Amino acid sequence: MPRLSVQQLFEDRRERLGLAWAAGASGSHRELTNEMLSRPGLGLIGHLNLIHPLIVQVLGASELEYIERMSEGAATEMFDRLAGGDTLCIVVGDGLPVPPALERAATRAAVPLLTARETSQQVINVLRPYLQGELGEVTSLHGVFLDVLEIGVLITGESSIGKSELALELISRGHGLVADDVVELQQIGPETVQGRCPPMLRDFLEVRGLGVLNIRSIFGETAVRPRKALRLIVHLEFPANGGYEERERLSTRSGTRRVLGVEIPTVTLTVAPGRNLAVLVEAAVRNHILITRGIDSTRDFISRQAAAMRSGGEGDAEPRD
């Protein structure tokens, strides 16, 4: 299960936000986990909120000015409530000094209290995607993950069907490799799954007959990508019964596959002699881009054909003498 300690958060974003410890360093081992994201009524990060608890509470100039207008007893009670419950970390932004009462409350509860040089809104804008990326659910799939025309494409299929050879041809055509064999997938947003390569396999592609190739060394830095959002799955399959089965010409073998709760479009291509799979994958990606823009070529052609049939065949060519 993905988890992130407050100490790791501090180290990863210290320079970006100008973070510094103010109190509660004894609680630096506290961890944010993926389970917390699914708990009802518990938010991830935001400005001070005591009604709907947040894992990371952020205080800026407006919140501190509001608290300063309270009586000393009311402010102390609020800080005690803030440091208790589900709060794992408190960040005071805008480069403001920490109120002594808040510092004492954080020390008593061993809740990490940090200060940030950046504004409170900037702290939220930076930490929210960072936390979602670190705590998102992770899974692994078998296949080759590529960047084709700026679209993350996962090529799947049976062993020895030719996934790596297809990937090598696509790379030689200017596309990029993300991962071969094992692809780590992580949900980084409600409708976004991001794929990356395990460190052990980074830059390598195994091709039968050639062994393991270092794609970065052979094709250069631009031939590899550190990560990419998964947008399309291309599944390769052998012809049924060993022969190329004739199919309905206007039908498409497409659908969706659920990955970490996100529906990913899929296209199935049959592997057969004479088929240029690299060109077909590129065409599938281009067609996917058009579909996302509301342009479906097959649907448009069927509509045009139906209109021609209703009009009595007006689209037919005139017979020659």
Side-chain angles (χ1 to χ4, degrees):
M1 179 178 62
R3 52 184 65 243
L4 175 72
S5 69
V6 177
Q7 181 64 39
Q8 187 63 50
L9 180 152
F10 171 77
E11 293 174 358
D12 289 348
R13 291 297 178 265
R14 173 172 50 186
E15 294 185 5
R16 177 68 180 83
L17 297 173
L19 298 177
W21 282 96
S26 60
S28 62
H29 63 281
R30 289 194 174 197
E31 292 183 328
L32 296 83
T33 66
N34 175 263
E35 280 185 344
M36 294 178 177
L37 301 182
S38 58
R39 287 174 56 185
L42 183 62
L44 180 59
I45 183 173
H47 286 105
L48 175 64
N49 193 331
L50 297 178
I51 299 175
H52 298 287
L54 297 170
I55 298 173
V56 180
Q57 298 266 13
V58 180
L59 282 70
S62 299
E63 289 76 20
L64 292 181
E65 288 175 4
Y66 170 75
I67 294 173
E68 284 179 0
R69 294 194 293 268
M70 294 180 170
S71 65
E72 183 178 349
T76 299
E77 181 182 354
M78 174 173 287
F79 287 139
D80 286 338
R81 290 178 58 196
L82 179 63
D86 295 306
T87 302
L88 287 184
C89 180
I90 303 171
V91 182
V92 176
D94 300 292
L96 296 171
V98 176
L102 176 57
E103 185 175 342
R104 290 192 297 269
T107 301
R108 285 194 301 268
V111 171
L113 174 59
L114 307 175
T115 60
R117 181 182 60 247
E118 297 289 342
T119 65
S120 59
Q121 187 59 56
Q122 180 68 359
V123 170
I124 295 172
N125 292 342
V126 170
L127 290 185
R128 177 174 285 121
Y130 165 74
L131 293 173
Q132 289 175 335
E134 291 293 325
L135 299 176
E137 188 177 352
V138 178
T139 190
S140 296
L141 290 180
H142 177 69
V144 184
F145 193 35
L146 299 163
D147 174 2
V148 180
L149 301 172
E150 300 300 322
I151 298 295
V153 179
L154 177 63
I155 300 175
T156 64
E158 297 179 23
S159 178
S160 75
I161 199 171
K163 299 185 294 296
S164 296
E165 290 84 350
L166 172 57
L168 186 60
E169 185 171 355
L170 287 168
I171 292 168
S172 69
R173 295 169 70 96
H175 306 296
L177 172 70
V178 180
D180 177 40
D181 193 38
V182 178
V183 184
E184 289 184 351
L185 297 167
Q186 183 174 35
Q187 185 176 9
I188 62 172
E191 297 296 328
T192 305
V193 173
Q194 187 180 83
R196 61 176 181 262
C197 183
M200 177 71 70
L201 304 176
R202 195 166 296 154
D203 299 341
F204 293 119
L205 177 72
E206 182 188 5
V207 180
R208 282 179 171 81
L210 295 178
V212 178
L213 305 179
N214 188 315
I215 297 302
R216 187 186 298 270
S217 299
I218 296 174
F219 293 95
E221 295 289 335
T222 59
V224 294
R225 311 284 190 273
R227 63 187 62 83
K228 200 70 183 177
L230 175 60
R231 300 300 185 192
L232 180 67
I233 297 176
V234 176
H235 182 70
L236 305 181
E237 68 174 18
F238 290 115
N241 302 320
Y244 190 74
E245 182 181 350
E246 188 68 29
R247 298 183 181 275
E248 182 67 32
R249 297 180 65 179
L250 293 183
S251 66
T252 57
R253 303 195 61 197
S254 59
T256 60
R257 178 174 176 179
R258 197 169 184 83
V259 179
L260 294 175
V262 179
E263 296 292 339
I264 305 297
T266 64
V267 174
T268 300
L269 298 178
T270 301
V271 178
R275 305 198 84 193
N276 191 327
L277 292 178
V279 172
L280 293 178
V281 170
E282 288 180 337
V285 171
R286 294 181 188 275
N287 190 53
H288 169 73
I289 294 173
L290 290 178
I291 290 175
T292 59
R293 297 175 180 174
I295 304 172
D296 189 329
S297 302
T298 302
R299 182 191 61 197
D300 292 345
F301 177 76
I302 292 175
S303 298
R304 184 184 299 180
Q305 183 188 48
M309 293 174 65
R310 287 195 299 269
S311 64
E314 294 178 359
D316 295 340
E318 293 291 335
R320 295 183 179 182
D321 294 335

